[in-house]
Every structure is written in structure tokens, then in C-alpha cells.
């Protein structure tokens, strides 16, 4: 069976959060989005959804 590689990066996470927060009436600052993206990325690593080599 062929393994599918999924790339997850913090910029993509930040953009997702920005779009979702704007839909809900929030206007986050760029710095806040970066922090949210970093926290989310760390969470995905902690839950073994991705591993640290995916950070590269």
C-alpha cells in the first residue's frame, strides 16, 4: 500500500484560522495568527497526528 504524504505548515494553519475567525466576526492581528498556528502545530505533534520531521 502506498503511503500518502500530507504537508502541514504553520502558514496554512494561520490562513485557515484567519478565514474562520473573520467569518465569526473577529479581526485577529498577524502576530496572533502566528501564535495560534504554532500552538496548533505543537498540538498536532503532541497528539501524534504529525511528527516533528514534518516541520522541515
Amino acid at each position: 500500500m502506498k503511503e500518502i504524504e500530507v504537508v502541514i505548515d504553520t502558514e496554512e494553519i494561520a490562513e485557515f484560522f484567519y478565514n474562520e475567525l473573520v467569518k465569526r466576526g473577529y479581526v485577529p492581528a498577524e502576530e496572533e495568527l502566528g501564535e495560534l498556528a504554532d500552538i496548533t502545530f505543537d498540538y498536532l505533534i503532541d497528539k501524534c497526528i504529525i511528527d516533528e520531521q514534518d516541520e522541515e
Side-chain angles (χ1 to χ4, degrees), residues 2 15 20 30 32 38 44 48-49:
K2 186 176 181 180
E15 183 177 334
E20 293 301 313
E30 188 173 333
E32 294 168 324
D38 287 343
L44 295 173
C48 299
I49 295 169

Side-chain angles (χ1 to χ4, degrees), residues 8-17 29-47 50 52 55:
I8 299 173
D9 70 316
T10 54
E11 288 180 25
E12 183 179 356
I13 294 169
E15 183 177 334
F16 177 81
F17 271 105
E30 188 173 333
E31 183 177 309
E32 294 168 324
L33 289 172
E35 290 298 321
L36 285 170
D38 287 343
I39 290 167
T40 303
F41 202 85
D42 290 343
Y43 175 79
L44 295 173
I45 291 171
D46 189 54
K47 293 297 181 179
I50 59 175
E52 292 194 55
E55 280 190 278

Side-chain angles (χ1 to χ4, degrees), residues 13-26 28 33:
I13 294 169
E15 183 177 334
F16 177 81
F17 271 105
Y18 177 80
N19 291 328
E20 293 301 313
L21 288 167
V22 168
K23 284 181 194 176
R24 291 165 172 79
Y26 297 97
L33 289 172

